[in-house]
Amino acid sequence: MSPMLILLLILSRMRRLPVLVALIWVCSVFYVGIFLFVGGFLLVRLEVNRTSTCADVLSPGAQVKGDFCLSEPRFRRAVVLIIDALKADFTRYDPENTAPKPFENKLPVLDEMASLHPSHARLYTFRADPPTTTMQRIKGFTTGSLPTFIDVGNNFASNAILEDNLVHQLGQVGKRVVFMGDDTWVSLFPKKFHRSLPFPSFNVKDLHTVDNGILQNIYLTMEGDDWDVLIAHFLGVDHCGHRFGPDHPAMAEKLSQMDGVIRSVIKRLKNDTLLVVMGDHGMTDTGDHGGESQKETDAALFLYSSSPLFPSPGSQVEPEVVPQTDLVPTLALLLGVPIPYSSVGQVLLPLFPQNGSRVAPTGLSQAEALWINVKQVNRFLETYSNMAKDIPPDSLSQLRADFSNISSRYLAAVHKGHLPSPELVISMQNYLTAVRETCRASWARFNPFKMAAGLLILGVACMLCYILSELSHVVIQEGLLKLPILSGLVVGLVVAAGQLFSQGYLELSWCVGAAALFSEVLFLWRTHGVSPKGRWSPSGLLTPALLVLFLRCASLLSDSYVIYEGNVVTFLLFTLSIYVPLRLNWDGLLVPLPPPDTQKPPQLLPTALPSSVVRRQATILLVWLGVLVGSLYLSLSFHNCREEQGTCQPSPFLSPLSRVQNSQLRNLHYVLSVGSLALWGYLLHRWLRHYGNLNCTSVTLLSACFLLPLACVCMGLHWAVSATPEDTFRSLSELIGLAQVFLPRATFCLLALGLLLLWVDPMTVFLKSRTPMNSRGTSLPPPKYRASTGISPQAELHHLIPQLYQRIRHSLEDGATESGETDSRPAVEAYGLGTVYSAPLVLLCGLLGLVLLLLHPEGMALAFLLLLLEAGAVLHIHACSTNLSSLHKHSNGFSVPWGPVVSWSLAATQFFHTTGHLPTFPSIQWGAAFVGFPQGHTGTALPASLVTLNTFSSHIIFAVGCPLLLFWPLVCEVRGTRSTHSAGAEESEDAVMEMRLRENPQKFSSGLLQLAARYLFVNGAQVFASVCAAAILRRHLMVWKVFAPKLMFEASGFIVGSVFVILGVAMVMRVDVSVGGLFKKLLPQNSR
């Protein structure tokens, strides 16, 4: 083998490791910054690990036997019926409503009992504290404490409640607590029940299993005598809301069923038993919950006793709204158990007799109950303030002064034998309200040091990401990453050792923070010495694309812009796309140049594309710009609505077909969805066939030609089965249930197999060899090579690649000249070689897109088709712009400008909203966890993964497809736009397409690293802006409603997207390995 060929083979091996190491390091630095800031911003409040007992003596007081459990309880038993998501509106009854909606007038028993028996029953609005998720609500109305924002993440990974709670107190005094229903209770209160009958709760499509299980046991339990407190948690109403929404006949059936249950329970009640019917939260108009809108926080509370319980109407002021925390001290004192230690709730006064009135023979009066409640809350306040030190000193001093005043007045009245005055009762109520509001304001605890460290690391990470994108070739050539990474690891280990030596324990956050920050600073110091002078001029940062990115980041500091983010991002993407033809026209590149001056020598004439090529490229650009604008306009029809948007109506395509009651509309939606799915598969197949990538013999052909269509068929059948109403084919219910399990799982398996085969053998090239004939037996000349992109003559002429690798060709031609014989015909034709890198990526995006589409409602197939058109439009606009401006800029490298990168990132965010997602917790599409698993899951890892894939599907697709921005201008390359003037005439006419990348592996590596770094910079800058917004506006009214959820979604989207960026780059490198192997096979034997 000649020395030239040996050198070429060494250079053709792409330096893959530095690229991957650089990307992993950059992503890790961002992760550390996010981890530190979130750890300082979303801290859980300090839990007081103390419990109340009957022997507790609350100060001030002279009781020797304790303040709790002194008097005989008002009730010996209690039945607590929790109807999950029992919205306050569901319990209102209007006899004049002749055409009620499915959720209206279906629970008449509550209003009926409250109206006919006012001394026995009351119906209140029961207001929950956000977040309105089931686990946090159970914690709230059993401990009496307030939840924290970060607890949302634990909703489906419930940990045992360690704080003092009502269930624990009931067990401490010997009460036998029997539970049945939602199995969340069993994980929250392990081994706390006398008897429990839990049923699986995570399957939101199951409306009946939990409720029917309760109904089979509740009446027999009530008729027995082995219980004191019975808790039954029904889930049918909540699951019906998630699956169908409140405005559906199924909701009417569930509410009517609950009405019958309450009536049956009332008939079985005894005089010493209290009935509590309550909802843990409400629901939105779409059946979701988790946020803090009034529709989500307002549930219902119904209290009933067979014996007189309430005073006569009008005798005292009734509360309009009852906070959920108030249920804890109320039930505790009514049942004769201590109030949980950390409760900040206030007793509900109407359930206690007024001072001097003894309607009931037993129990506490209002003043006595309030006094115990005040002393208990003051004890908690003192304990907590000594432990946490996060309550403002002025507020704490004021509360202490108020308590001292109340104590002196109450003790003076008792000492004189007087009843506490109404003013004193009001003062005690005001004190309890003030403590709760002070705690609510103070428990948004921030750690300023961690927040500052996270901000610093994220800011420097954005800086180094920008520098890495500008100096990618220097970083690869000089190996600038090894020292910063190793030094950072050493610093982290030193900090960890110092902590263990000085403190005796390890704080991981500060160890990784020190390692990340030191490696960042060292990298910036090393690059400062090798940066070309004048590289960092301010004009370089004032490009239109980066100005659009700045506007995008600035918008994240406004709650209004975050609320209307979908429209804002659509406008920015539209603006940046319109700028491309305007700039080209300004530079005179969108129209053909005038005829050249024939009197000038040819070497003095400016290089220009032929007029026909310019007109064709301009036409293609404008056509794809029209496609992009049309896609953006249509995508607005798929947006969801936030609660703050008022009259906004969510897209009907967001509802699963099973929710659509109109059969004709359901059939239309199904046809559109299946048509979009078929068009997705067709366009993918057509592109691969056009460029000759379906002529290969590798296993990838199986993925593209067989697995992909078969998966589409299975998905269409799955949609048909899922859209079938439950009562349509009752005789085929078992078969339909089996199909709901088999079809999506079969689709998952087919697509997973396709992805696996694509990774194993990503080559989509077909080699066609010709056996040379030589009758004299002399040695044949080394063969020439031709790589075509299609088997049709027209495609061959248009996408012809006359040589695989230009330097290899020159070397082989030198050998041919020495032999004295030539053969003009190519010995090997390679079909699909011009798109050898982009074809596997396109197929990867297509397969991943189908996986993600399966996790969405059926109507989202139209949105995914718009995604395909939108991505194609961005790529073609970028390619046409590159072709038209390539001669004007004289660029010899593989550099993707900032404009397409910013557009690609904006398209990902825009598609996030197009699929009905919002940066709010109620908009999370939990139904994705049950696609293929209608019976639920035994663990949380798989459903959490499915929901994550559903939520961040846009980030995943655009992240994996990011390298296409590098390849697409080469795929759409026009002959002559990239050739050098020093080359021969024949070479200047070649359209080598993606084989140009192998002419200079160094530039290929640096170009790929630059593209990935720029994409990470664009996304990282948005994370940094969200972090700044949360830090600056941490005391803003909308911080927990707008900015904190936006931070969580932006950070999570960056983490998921960065992982798939690395996966996309790894796929490119996997293809490069296969291409290198292909070249080795094509080398003739006599030159080895």
Side-chain angles (χ1 to χ4, degrees):
M1 185 183 294
S2 64
M4 183 65 177
L5 271 177
I6 296 176
L7 178 61
L8 286 174
L9 285 176
I10 295 175
L11 291 176
S12 66
R13 293 179 180 178
M14 185 178 178
R15 297 186 179 182
R16 307 174 189 93
L17 188 59
V19 176
L20 281 178
V21 170
L23 294 179
I24 293 174
W25 172 63
V26 170
C27 293
S28 300
V29 169
F30 273 105
Y31 299 162
V32 171
I34 293 172
F35 171 69
L36 277 174
F37 183 85
V38 170
F41 182 71
L42 299 178
L43 283 179
V44 180
R45 66 171 176 84
L46 181 65
E47 292 185 352
V48 178
N49 192 19
R50 299 187 184 183
T51 59
S52 300
T53 65
C54 285
D56 287 349
V57 177
L58 302 177
S59 177
Q63 301 287 347
V64 294
K65 295 182 180 180
D67 287 89
F68 299 121
C69 317
L70 285 179
S71 61
E72 185 177 349
R74 174 69 178 83
F75 294 98
R76 189 173 68 89
R77 288 181 168 183
V79 176
V80 182
L81 302 182
I82 303 167
I83 302 177
D84 207 294
L86 182 62
K87 191 177 181 180
D89 294 343
F90 295 171
T91 62
R92 297 190 177 99
Y93 183 76
D94 182 8
E96 298 181 359
N97 188 354
T98 57
K101 295 180 179 180
F103 60 87
E104 294 177 338
N105 290 357
K106 298 304 184 295
L107 273 172
V109 62
L110 304 182
D111 184 81
E112 176 185 317
M113 299 301 294
S115 301
L116 298 179
H117 308 283
S119 61
H120 295 260
R122 284 288 193 278
L123 178 62
Y124 298 106
T125 297
F126 200 35
R127 183 157 295 168
D129 290 293
T132 50
T133 48
T134 296
M135 191 200 74
Q136 282 71 36
R137 295 299 85 241
I138 295 175
K139 286 184 175 181
F141 60 67
T142 56
T143 64
S145 61
L146 300 174
T148 51
F149 180 85
I150 202 170
D151 282 341
V152 175
N154 297 325
N155 193 42
F156 298 107
S158 304
N159 297 317
I161 294 178
L162 301 179
E163 276 189 305
D164 194 11
N165 58 81
L166 203 55
V167 175
H168 172 76
Q169 289 297 337
L170 290 170
Q172 286 292 99
V173 300
K175 297 283 188 182
R176 295 164 296 178
V177 183
V178 176
F179 169 77
M180 54 187 69
D182 184 353
D183 59 354
T184 304
W185 286 75
V186 179
S187 59
L188 291 176
F189 306 101
K191 300 180 181 180
K192 295 292 185 180
F193 298 114
H194 176 68
R195 190 171 73 254
S196 62
L197 295 170
F199 301 95
S201 61
F202 193 55
N203 186 4
V204 295
K205 292 188 176 182
D206 185 358
L207 308 185
H208 308 296
T209 298
V210 176
D211 293 0
N212 292 342
I214 295 174
L215 294 178
Q216 292 172 3
N217 296 276
I218 187 172
Y219 304 129
L220 294 175
T221 301
M222 290 185 65
E223 293 169 359
D225 196 35
D226 62 340
W227 64 278
D228 296 302
V229 177
L230 174 60
I231 302 174
H233 192 149
F234 295 87
L235 287 178
V237 173
D238 179 69
H239 286 188
C240 183
H242 284 297
R243 184 173 180 183
F244 301 112
D247 196 8
H248 192 276
M251 182 62 75
E253 295 179 6
K254 293 306 300 183
L255 291 175
S256 299
Q257 183 188 36
M258 294 298 101
D259 184 83
V261 171
I262 296 171
R263 292 181 185 275
S264 300
V265 170
I266 289 176
K267 292 178 181 179
R268 292 171 169 81
L269 286 179
K270 297 180 180 180
N271 291 337
D272 63 347
T273 305
L274 173 68
L275 172 63
V276 180
V277 180
M278 56 181 286
D280 56 344
H281 52 75
M283 66 172 64
T284 63
D285 293 336
T286 59
D288 300 313
H289 59 89
E292 57 179 329
S293 67
Q294 188 169 334
K295 293 180 180 179
E296 297 168 272
T297 59
D298 282 2
L301 174 64
F302 175 75
L303 300 168
Y304 175 83
S305 172
S306 299
S307 59
L309 176 61
F310 295 93
S312 58
S315 61
Q316 68 180 63
V317 178
E318 294 279 350
E320 295 181 0
V321 176
V322 176
Q324 278 192 356
T325 52
D326 291 359
L327 183 66
V328 174
T330 303
L331 286 182
L333 296 183
L334 287 175
L335 294 173
V337 301
I339 301 175
Y341 198 98
S342 300
S343 171
V344 292
Q346 179 180 157
V347 291
L348 188 56
L349 286 189
L351 277 80
F352 298 88
Q354 291 179 323
N355 303 328
S357 171
R358 285 294 178 181
V359 178
T362 58
L364 300 168
S365 67
Q366 290 184 357
E368 292 170 338
L370 270 177
W371 176 236
I372 295 174
N373 194 184
V374 166
K375 291 197 292 182
Q376 169 266 321
V377 169
N378 175 72
R379 179 183 65 172
F380 165 73
L381 185 64
E382 292 295 332
T383 303
Y384 184 84
S385 61
N386 290 330
M387 296 173 61
K389 307 293 185 183
D390 60 355
I391 297 179
D394 53 344
S395 299
L396 188 60
S397 299
Q398 182 62 46
L399 291 173
R400 286 172 174 168
D402 292 343
F403 177 74
S404 177
N405 180 44
I406 292 172
S407 299
S408 60
R409 293 166 61 189
Y410 185 88
L411 293 177
V414 172
H415 181 72
K416 295 178 181 179
H418 297 164
L419 294 174
S421 64
E423 292 78 11
L424 180 57
V425 171
I426 294 175
S427 297
M428 288 192 285
Q429 289 180 294
N430 292 337
Y431 170 79
L432 292 171
T433 302
V435 171
R436 179 170 54 200
E437 295 307 316
T438 301
C439 290
R440 179 179 283 114
S442 302
W443 284 345
R445 290 181 60 234
F446 303 115
N447 187 327
F449 297 105
K450 280 191 175 182
M451 292 173 62
L455 275 169
L456 178 62
I457 292 175
L458 284 173
V460 179
C462 291
M463 187 186 306
L464 72 87
C465 209
Y466 179 84
I467 294 175
L468 182 63
S469 70
E470 297 299 314
L471 301 177
S472 57
H473 63 289
V474 178
V475 171
I476 292 179
Q477 288 178 353
E478 304 295 333
L480 300 180
L481 290 176
K482 183 182 298 184
L483 181 61
I485 294 176
L486 293 178
S487 300
L489 293 175
V490 171
V491 169
L493 292 175
V494 170
V495 172
Q499 287 181 344
L500 290 174
F501 181 77
S502 61
Q503 301 176 172
Y505 60 91
L506 184 67
E507 290 187 59
L508 181 62
S509 57
W510 293 117
C511 298
V512 296
L517 186 59
F518 186 83
S519 64
E520 287 178 326
V521 173
L522 186 57
F523 175 78
L524 294 179
W525 178 75
R526 294 201 70 192
T527 54
H528 178 73
V530 298
S531 301
K533 294 183 178 180
R535 180 88 182 191
W536 312 115
S537 61
S539 59
L541 297 173
L542 297 179
T543 62
L546 292 181
L547 289 178
V548 168
L549 176 61
F550 174 78
L551 292 176
R552 160 68 178 153
C553 294
S555 70
L556 297 176
L557 278 78
S558 167
D559 58 335
S560 299
Y561 280 100
V562 173
I563 291 172
Y564 290 92
E565 182 185 33
N567 300 75
V568 172
V569 174
T570 302
F571 171 76
L572 292 177
L573 178 57
F574 170 79
T575 303
L576 191 57
S577 303
I578 290 294
Y579 166 77
V580 175
L582 295 179
R583 177 184 57 80
L584 291 174
N585 187 64
W586 179 267
D587 294 337
L589 301 175
L590 201 59
V591 292
L593 295 176
D597 187 358
T598 56
Q599 297 181 355
K600 292 184 179 181
Q603 60 271 20
L604 298 179
L605 294 177
T607 306
L609 291 174
S611 299
S612 59
V613 173
V614 174
R615 282 192 293 268
R616 183 172 182 272
Q617 290 294 306
T619 302
I620 293 174
L621 187 150
L622 295 177
V623 168
W624 279 107
L625 181 62
V627 172
L628 177 61
V629 173
S631 301
L632 291 176
Y633 178 78
L634 293 176
S635 67
L636 296 175
S637 304
F638 296 88
H639 284 198
N640 205 343
C641 296
R642 294 178 64 119
E643 181 259 337
E644 300 90 346
Q645 291 178 291
T647 58
C648 173
Q649 294 294 326
S651 171
F653 292 99
L654 296 175
S655 300
L657 293 179
S658 57
R659 288 192 184 184
V660 181
Q661 302 180 39
N662 189 314
S663 60
Q664 293 183 349
L665 184 60
R666 182 169 60 246
N667 293 336
L668 176 61
H669 281 195
Y670 178 75
V671 171
L672 291 175
S673 300
V674 172
S676 302
L677 177 64
L679 194 55
W680 172 284
Y682 169 77
L683 291 176
L684 190 64
H685 187 274
R686 180 69 181 84
W687 188 90
L688 293 171
R689 184 168 178 260
H690 174 73
Y691 287 102
N693 297 107
L694 295 184
N695 302 310
C696 64
T697 57
S698 65
V699 292
T700 304
L701 183 66
L702 178 65
S703 301
C705 295
F706 299 100
L707 297 182
L708 183 65
L710 190 57
C712 291
V713 172
C714 291
M715 195 181 303
L717 293 175
H718 165 63
W719 289 346
V721 171
S722 300
T724 304
E726 293 183 354
D727 56 350
T728 304
F729 302 101
R730 294 189 181 274
S731 59
L732 301 177
S733 59
E734 293 186 3
L735 182 60
I736 292 176
L738 183 63
Q740 289 179 340
V741 175
F742 172 76
L743 289 174
R745 291 188 183 183
T747 307
F748 281 133
C749 292
L750 290 172
L751 295 174
L753 179 60
L755 293 171
L756 178 62
L757 295 178
L758 182 61
W759 178 263
V760 170
D761 188 5
M763 285 296 293
T764 55
V765 177
F766 171 66
L767 300 179
K768 182 179 179 182
S769 302
R770 175 181 63 85
T771 304
M773 300 296 296
N774 188 355
S775 57
R776 292 178 295 178
T778 59
S779 62
L780 291 176
K784 297 180 182 179
Y785 300 95
R786 184 175 67 182
S788 172
T789 59
I791 57 174
S792 63
Q794 183 178 3
E796 248 185 278
L797 290 174
H798 185 65
H799 299 290
L800 188 65
I801 299 180
Q803 64 276 80
L804 294 178
Y805 197 43
Q806 291 187 14
R807 295 185 180 180
I808 293 180
R809 186 200 66 174
H810 291 317
S811 176
L812 297 177
E813 284 182 348
D814 292 342
T817 303
E818 293 174 1
S819 65
E821 298 185 18
T822 61
D823 189 346
S824 61
R825 293 179 298 169
V828 177
E829 293 178 347
Y831 296 94
L833 197 59
T835 53
V836 66
Y837 292 104
S838 56
L841 268 182
V842 169
L843 185 57
L844 175 62
C845 292
L847 294 173
L848 269 179
L850 290 181
V851 172
L852 300 173
L853 175 57
L854 183 58
L855 299 174
H856 282 78
E858 301 88 342
M860 288 297 98
L862 285 167
F864 271 74
L865 181 61
L866 291 176
L867 159 97
L868 189 64
L869 296 176
E870 188 175 313
V874 173
L875 290 172
H876 279 87
I877 291 173
H878 167 47
C880 293
S881 174
T882 302
N883 286 333
L884 290 173
S885 59
S886 57
L887 291 179
H888 177 72
K889 294 181 178 180
H890 301 288
S891 175
N892 295 322
F894 304 109
S895 176
V896 180
W898 283 104
V901 180
V902 175
S903 297
W904 199 252
S905 176
L906 291 176
T909 305
Q910 193 268 340
F911 183 67
F912 173 81
H913 291 269
T914 301
T915 49
H917 295 290
L918 293 169
T920 61
F921 292 103
S923 68
I924 296 177
Q925 300 173 6
W926 299 109
F930 305 101
V931 176
F933 303 90
Q935 303 303 320
H937 304 267
T938 56
T940 58
L942 181 57
S945 300
L946 294 176
V947 172
T948 301
L949 292 174
N950 166 276
T951 304
F952 300 107
S953 55
S954 61
H955 302 77
I956 292 171
I957 293 178
F958 281 93
V960 169
C962 182
L964 291 175
L965 292 171
L966 176 63
F967 301 140
W968 216 259
L970 301 174
V971 173
C972 302
E973 180 183 355
V974 177
R975 299 186 182 187
T977 58
R978 289 179 176 263
S979 56
T980 58
H981 302 299
S982 60
E986 177 187 354
E987 185 174 328
S988 65
E989 295 178 357
D990 296 337
V992 185
M993 299 173 69
E994 291 178 5
M995 281 298 97
R996 260 183 219 288
L997 297 170
R998 295 198 61 89
E999 295 177 7
N1000 195 328
Q1002 198 82 18
K1003 289 185 177 180
F1004 184 13
S1005 299
S1006 63
L1008 190 60
L1009 177 59
Q1010 181 192 60
L1011 172 60
R1014 286 186 172 181
Y1015 189 73
L1016 291 175
F1017 169 79
V1018 173
N1019 292 332
Q1022 297 174 65
V1023 174
F1024 181 67
S1026 297
V1027 166
C1028 290
I1032 296 171
L1033 304 172
R1034 61 186 180 276
R1035 296 298 182 186
H1036 191 276
L1037 178 65
M1038 305 292 285
V1039 63
W1040 301 115
K1041 194 172 187 178
V1042 175
F1043 296 110
K1046 177 57 183 173
L1047 167 63
M1048 299 297 290
F1049 276 83
E1050 197 70 46
S1052 301
F1054 175 85
I1055 293 172
V1056 174
S1058 60
V1059 170
F1060 280 88
V1061 165
I1062 295 175
L1063 178 62
V1065 173
M1067 172 57 73
V1068 173
M1069 296 179 176
R1070 176 70 185 88
V1071 175
D1072 192 68
V1073 172
S1074 299
V1075 172
L1078 176 68
F1079 283 149
K1080 289 182 180 179
K1081 292 181 181 179
L1082 291 179
L1083 288 176
Q1085 294 292 335
N1086 60 352
S1087 63
R1088 296 184 180 180

